[in-house]
Amino acid sequence: MKFILFIALLSLPMLAFATGDTTYITNENTVLLKNNEIQVFSDVSKTLPFNKIRSLTAFHAPNNTIPNLSVSPAVIWLKFTLFNNTNEQQLLINLKKSNLNYVTLYYPVDNNGNYTFFKGGNLIPISQHKFKDQNNLFEVPIPPYTSRTMYIRIKSIGQIVAPLYVGTIDNIMESINRDRLVFGIYLGIILIMFFYNFFIYFSVRDESYLYYIGYIFFIGFAQFCLEGYGYRFLWNNSPLITLQSINWVGALSGIGAAVFLRVFLHTKEKLPIFDKVLIGFILLYILTILLTLFGLYDLSYILIDVIAFTGSFAFLGVGIKFAAEGFRPAKFFLIAWSFFIASIILYVIKDFGLISYNFITSNILLIGSSIEIALLSFALADRINVLKREKEISQAKALQVSREKEQFVQEQNIILESKINERTFKLQQINKELKRTLKDLKETQSQLVDAEKMASLGQLTAGIAHEINNPINFVKSNIKPLQLDIHDVLELVRKYDELNTENIQNKLKDIHSFREEIEFEYIVHEIETLLSGINDGANRTAEIVKGLRTFSRVDESELKEADIHEGIDTTLMLLANSVPQNLTIVKDYASLPRVDCFPGKLNQVFMNVLVNAIQAIKSKGTTEEDEERIIITTEKQHGNVVLRIADTGPGIPAAVKGKIFDPFFTTKDVGEGTGLGLSIAYSIIEKHHGKIEAFPREGGGTEFVITLPLKQRASKQDAPADMETSPKS
């Protein structure tokens, strides 16, 4: 009650000397036109020209002390008469409302009834305003001690309130500077609170401060725009933003208040129904922004006012409820929000003329907003104290619990120590058993790997024996004829040795007869043929031995550059004996560079994959008339060599596709395989930092794809023997 009386005392009307409908302007102070000093006419048609307006008698005194036309689509005309009771030649008119769109002042230029006009309003660029101010300032010539009747035309969206101040230039500018000072103080308070709470947030990391910082920003920015500074400094050349900005900032400040209230009062946990109401307010505010974007300015403006009015008292009601329940933050909020609502009420009733329009009441929103923001900052500061106390209580409880636990632990340690010793002894026994088991498993694994090696070696030996047997048999079959031919030649040579001067004629005849008998020319040709065959057999045997050496690479234990194609061809040569007659090997080799690898180990991979392919084709049970193929393709892709080995066998069943590289897995009959071949191949390729995959082949069969990098990242000290004994696990 004391607060209302204090505001009422400060709101005493300013003194102005007026007689009838004429307002007398003196040097003493600025005059606010009100009551019968100003007359109003609403042009609903919005088309009446000024000459028609001058002749109208429909002007009437405003319904309120200050012209307040609320939201009106009509064109509003104001009529007033001023008497210059000063020595000044010029008076200054200040229509102190920065959010009016179009304002035109008509004033007489002589005593003959001729008028001219000045244009103002926030849809006129600020550069075209003489005083570069967001308010509508008009400098009018009125000779001293004379009167002039003037008209003001107003067309605007939103609420139309026309507080019209008149006075000397000095008095009006002094009033404007006073308003600027007040807003500067307000802006300073906003900035101080903004950065202060921003600093506090980084100290305590409480997200309530972030929401409060956002709320401060939107409230401060809303006042910044309502006072016309947004139009003046930010978007004075953009009529569209100017039209929409008042609605935007009103909606955004409402959203900021609702969001902050949800976090500050914990409405989601304490009162879920009201929390949903707050969400509804936020959605309605978003709706007003959309209406503004679609050009429905007046509807959006009215809706924002309704939401703000309803929301203000809803916020107040929930603050009272939470405060009554003893929720400490709600008490601070209730006090702060009460000041803010009181400032809004005084601001509104001032526009309706129920209290005086003066310095205090015209800036009451700034005052109430400043008090509210300061009190809410105190509330958040108190929140830190509450959190501190809660933390201290929590720490005390934690300390007590810790001591109890410590005592309990000490009691249990004695029991646990004996149990641990008992369990340790048992674990040591189990560990010894596990070591023995692991040793047995390693020996078993080694034996299985050796068995796989022996199986591969047996297969390889069979192929080598077959390949070497052919040239050796050929050599052996040529030795007997060669011995006979050499014996005849040697006999002929012996006869030549028996020649002497006594029996030369007879001996020559015998030699000639023997030469014809043994067919010497044929023998010479036959010896050449037999020696050529023996040479071919020896060369073939040497090639097989060389191929065997190339395949095994027993002399190469480090990474080397090798020809992949050579390794494949050597493997195929050694497997030639196991290739059935109806199987064709198709090779499609690309031009490949040499590859960093362990050549012998890669040849083992080729052997395992090719043997699987050959065995798969044999398992189909095809006849010699059926044509089967193994297709080997190589290519270079992005720094890798890709080898594809495809067969026309029965293919891998989908159920076992994921297991083919597992150790000991095989689909062969018992005794036909160890199940380690592909597992070892997988391990070898993995050691080469490559990969091996199996895919079903279109049309039947399987395709193995081996990808190897051209250059190895592994150290040359990597032991290739590791690959043999480390099948895929």
Side-chain angles (χ1 to χ4, degrees), residues 38-51:
I38 187 167
Q39 295 183 315
V40 179
F41 171 72
S42 296
D43 177 13
V44 180
S45 68
K46 298 181 286 188
T47 59
L48 295 178
F50 175 65
N51 289 335

Side-chain angles (χ1 to χ4, degrees), residues 215 253-263 278-279 281-282 285 315:
Y215 175 61
S253 60
I255 292 173
V259 171
F260 169 68
L261 188 62
R262 291 186 68 210
V263 176
L278 287 176
I279 294 173
F281 280 131
I282 293 171
Y285 275 123
F315 297 171

Side-chain angles (χ1 to χ4, degrees), residues 300-334:
S300 174
Y301 187 92
I302 294 171
L303 187 56
I304 289 172
D305 281 348
V306 172
I307 298 170
F309 179 81
T310 307
S312 296
F313 286 97
F315 297 171
L316 186 64
V318 78
I320 293 172
K321 181 180 186 304
F322 285 175
E325 293 174 355
F327 186 45
R328 189 177 178 87
K331 296 178 181 178
F332 284 93
F333 170 78
L334 182 60

Side-chain angles (χ1 to χ4, degrees), residues 54-66:
R54 289 177 58 190
S55 62
L56 291 177
T57 59
F59 279 91
H60 58 85
N63 295 328
N64 313 109
T65 304
I66 305 299

